[in-house]
């Protein structure tokens, strides 16, 4: 494997993975569920939790340089093959669904330029034309990555720099148009929004969604020129993204009131900037969103092709996924990723699913790998403490990251977690195939875990068919 990704490419990969479509709809998504005070508390919890998680990844990258792939190899090292496989499978499914959501939201943004009342071409990104054009995009990115990861990473770096222009224009405009009286009009929200804890909890899925991708540099750590750049890239990209998210979501409430922002059509930042600077602001935001989503889609396809490759190298996936082409690209992992994204796009066309529905399921699928990788950081720090090799800071960071993972499980809600089990069950067949290749059988605890997963998925499917929540 070629180690040709420098610090700049790694930062761009992490930043582009996180800052995709979500930031452009962030003001409306947050204001719909909470007021200024609760949104600020939500970002405080998220900032502390994500910074702790990033620091855990930084330390693990240096402490266990043998664990390439990060987020799911950490889960396996800490809690065994069954947990490790489900973390890898869940993370891969999360990436596939994220890519599908990017295609949908991309053509939804382009509909601003093509659709008129009574004349719908792209609609919400789920029309036949949108899915057809999305399929062309999916296979175009597939061909680009087949030519080599380094080339794709350079294209992503350019896209990352381009997406920053409209976001920086938006932030400057928000600062200039900010009114303190509007901002503090109703700090803790009206009764209709619920209590402060309820408001904060309701923002968690949104904040998790916009941070999915923080582990990007860890996943491709084997391709980094210098191991220490993995942690640096993660922290730099996280701090930059957090600053943008806080400014966009909070300062917008100093330009328009919470009910006004909550009622906006997404991408809500387009309407907000248009109110400040005129119609060209909406054009700039929609163009910026298209560039941003294209970059995020490229980043996530890069990551998604790496996951089955690394999982196969460690014995969690069948060996078929471990093959590279002459350019060092995991070709079979990329083919599987592209074909599954294409299949999901056809499902979107038939079901007319929307971007937000995909976001809710994707964030729930991501909870398992995030929680167990953080828990491994805590476990390793505790073991090192017993040998007087860990500091109190390592333990604190591990505890904060793990506690944040538990909080996310609570905030996500049982209904979406149960729906996520439907996505985990097909992975049991992949695990079985990998075991057969290795001449291994399922252990008793693993068989019990698989049975519990199947039962939860069956119960979830039955309740979903009955139209019941959860």
């Amino acid at each position: 494997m070629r180690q040709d990704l420098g610090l700049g490419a790694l930062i761009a990969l992490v930043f582009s993975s996180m800052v995709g479509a979500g930031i452009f709809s962030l003001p409306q998504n947050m204001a719909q569920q909470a007021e200024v005070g609760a949104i600020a508390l939500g970002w405080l919890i998220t900032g502390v939790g994500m910074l702790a998680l990033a620091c855990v990844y930084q330390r693990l990258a240096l402490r266990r340089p043998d664990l390439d792939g990060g987020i799911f190899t950490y889960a396996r090292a800490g809690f065994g093959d069954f947990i490790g496989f489900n973390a890898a499978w869940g993370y891969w499914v999360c990436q596939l669904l994220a890519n599908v959501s990017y295609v949908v939201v991309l053509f939804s943004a382009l509909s601003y330029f093509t659709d008129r009342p009574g004349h719908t071409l792209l609609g919400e990104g789920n029309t036949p034309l949108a899915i057809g054009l999305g399929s062309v995009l999916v296979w175009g990115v597939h061909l680009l990555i087949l030519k080599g990861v380094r080339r794709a990473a350079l294209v992503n770096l350019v896209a990352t720099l381009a997406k920053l222009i409209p976001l920086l224009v938006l932030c400057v405009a928000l600062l200039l148009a900010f009114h303190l009286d509007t901002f503090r009009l109703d700090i803790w929200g009206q009764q209709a929004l619920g209590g402060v804890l309820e408001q904060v909890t309701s923002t968690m899925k949104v904040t998790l969604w916009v941070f999915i991708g923080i582990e990007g540099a860890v996943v491709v750590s084997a391709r980094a020129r210098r191991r220490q750049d993995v942690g640096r890239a993660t922290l730099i990209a996280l701090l930059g993204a957090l600053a943008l998210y806080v400014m966009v979501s909070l300062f917008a409430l100093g330009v328009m009131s919470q009910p006004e922002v909550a009622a906006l059509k997404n991408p809500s930042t387009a309407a907000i900037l248009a109110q400040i600077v005129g119609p060209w602001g909406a054009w700039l935001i929609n163009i910026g969103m298209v560039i941003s989503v294209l970059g995020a889609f490229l980043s996530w396809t890069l990551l998604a092709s790496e996951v089955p490759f690394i999982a196969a190298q460690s014995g969690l996936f069948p060996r078929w996924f471990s093959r590279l082409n002459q350019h060092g690209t995991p070709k079979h992992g990329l083919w599987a990723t592209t074909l599954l994204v294409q299949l999901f796009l056809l499902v979107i066309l038939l079901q007319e699913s929307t971007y937000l529905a995909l976001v809710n399921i994707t964030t729930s699928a991501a909870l398992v790998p995030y929680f167990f990788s953080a828990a491994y950081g805590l476990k390793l720090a505790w073991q090192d403490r017993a040998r007087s090799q860990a500091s109190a800071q390592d333990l604190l960071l591990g505890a904060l990251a793990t506690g944040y993972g538990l909080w996310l499980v609570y905030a996500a809600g049982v209904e979406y977690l149960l729906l996520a089990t439907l996505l985990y069950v097909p992975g049991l067949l992949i695990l079985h195939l990998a075991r057969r290749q290795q001449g291994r059988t399922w252990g008793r605890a693993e068989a019990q875990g698989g049975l519990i997963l199947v039962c939860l998925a069956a119960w979830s499917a039955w309740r979903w068919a009955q139209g019941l929540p959860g």
Side-chain angles (χ1 to χ4, degrees):
M1 186 181 291
R2 301 175 184 176
Q3 296 174 309
D4 49 14
L5 296 184
L7 180 61
L10 290 170
I11 292 172
L13 180 65
V14 180
F15 186 85
S16 186
S17 299
M18 288 189 290
V19 183
I23 189 170
F24 295 95
S25 301
L26 199 54
Q28 189 275 340
N29 291 167
M30 299 290 274
Q32 191 176 35
Q33 305 174 78
E35 252 291 1
V36 172
I39 292 174
L41 285 175
W43 283 122
L44 178 62
I45 295 171
T46 300
V48 171
M50 281 296 174
L51 280 170
L53 187 61
C55 289
V56 167
Y57 286 156
Q58 182 184 38
R59 282 161 168 74
L60 287 175
L62 298 175
R63 177 75 172 78
R64 293 296 307 270
D66 55 309
L67 296 179
D68 294 324
I71 190 167
F72 55 89
T73 52
Y74 296 155
R76 182 193 191 189
F79 306 99
D81 284 354
F82 186 73
I83 294 297
F85 170 80
N86 280 288
W89 178 262
Y91 185 59
W92 193 36
V93 169
C94 165
Q95 291 174 322
L96 295 174
L97 291 176
N99 271 352
V100 176
S101 73
Y102 285 139
V103 173
V104 171
V105 78
L106 170 66
F107 288 96
S108 176
L110 287 172
S111 69
Y112 176 83
F113 305 104
T114 62
D115 293 6
R116 295 293 179 268
H119 185 66
T120 301
L121 291 176
L122 302 177
E124 295 295 321
N126 52 10
T127 64
L129 178 60
I131 298 301
L133 293 174
S135 300
V136 173
L137 170 65
V138 167
W139 288 101
V141 170
H142 174 91
L143 293 175
L144 174 63
I145 297 177
L146 275 180
K147 295 297 183 181
V149 171
R150 185 173 183 273
R151 180 181 296 183
L154 289 174
V155 173
N156 179 60
L157 178 59
V158 174
T160 301
L161 294 174
K163 81 167 66 173
L164 281 173
I165 296 173
L167 290 174
L168 292 176
V169 170
L170 173 65
C171 289
V172 171
L174 288 173
L175 284 171
L176 294 176
F178 183 84
H179 294 288
L180 185 60
D181 291 340
T182 304
F183 184 75
R184 63 186 183 188
L185 191 62
D186 188 11
I187 294 292
W188 298 110
Q190 302 170 5
Q191 196 170 10
L193 293 173
V196 174
L197 179 60
E198 184 180 349
Q199 291 182 54
V200 171
T201 302
S202 68
T203 67
M204 285 296 104
K205 276 188 290 189
V206 178
T207 58
L208 173 62
W209 167 245
V210 296
F211 276 114
I212 288 179
I214 185 179
E215 69 295 328
V218 178
V219 174
V220 297
S221 56
R223 297 184 183 274
R225 289 177 193 158
R226 294 176 297 275
R227 194 76 185 189
Q228 60 267 34
D229 285 347
V230 173
R232 292 172 183 168
T234 302
L235 284 172
I236 292 170
L238 171 64
L239 291 172
L242 180 61
L244 281 175
Y245 292 152
V246 171
M247 287 186 68
V248 170
S249 60
L250 280 178
F251 288 11
L253 295 173
V255 176
M256 302 171 68
S257 67
Q258 178 268 330
E260 290 173 331
V261 176
L264 292 176
K265 180 185 176 183
N266 281 315
S268 51
T269 48
I272 294 170
L273 187 57
Q275 176 164 314
I276 299 172
V277 301
W280 68 266
W283 277 75
L284 180 65
I285 290 296
N286 279 282
I287 292 171
M289 183 174 176
V290 169
I291 296 171
S292 181
V293 172
L294 285 171
F297 181 80
L298 176 57
S299 293
W300 276 94
T301 305
L302 276 169
L303 295 178
S305 66
E306 292 283 325
V307 170
F309 167 72
I310 297 169
Q313 284 191 317
S314 60
L316 293 176
F317 276 35
R319 287 190 294 270
W320 182 80
F321 288 100
S322 64
R323 297 174 186 172
L324 299 170
N325 68 7
Q326 66 271 28
H327 301 293
T329 299
K331 57 180 181 180
H332 288 165
L334 179 60
W335 275 101
T337 295
T338 304
L339 288 169
L340 286 172
V341 169
Q342 180 67 76
L343 176 62
F344 281 133
L345 282 176
L346 294 176
V347 172
I348 293 298
L349 177 62
L350 295 175
Q351 297 293 322
E352 297 184 349
S353 299
T354 62
Y355 170 69
L356 287 178
L358 288 167
V359 166
N360 287 326
I361 299 174
T362 302
T363 50
S364 297
L367 293 179
V368 170
Y370 278 119
F371 171 73
F372 281 107
S373 59
Y376 175 59
L378 177 60
K379 179 180 179 180
L380 197 62
W382 185 263
Q383 291 173 344
D384 287 347
R385 176 181 175 275
R387 298 190 292 266
S388 301
Q389 295 177 350
S391 65
Q393 186 182 48
D394 291 330
L395 279 171
L396 177 61
L397 289 171
L400 285 172
T402 305
Y404 178 64
L406 285 173
W407 165 258
L408 289 175
V409 170
Y410 163 74
V414 175
E415 64 273 15
Y416 285 109
L417 288 174
L418 286 173
L419 281 175
T421 61
L422 294 171
L423 300 173
Y424 275 86
V425 165
L428 298 177
L429 176 61
I430 301 297
L431 178 59
H432 180 67
L433 292 174
R435 288 289 171 84
R436 284 189 62 183
Q437 284 185 348
Q438 299 158 10
R440 298 172 58 193
T441 58
W442 290 56
R444 182 178 178 181
E446 293 176 340
Q448 291 173 344
L451 180 61
I452 291 172
L453 193 59
V454 169
C455 290
L456 287 173
W459 185 55
S460 178
W462 177 80
R463 291 181 65 83
W464 179 65
Q466 298 294 318
L468 300 172

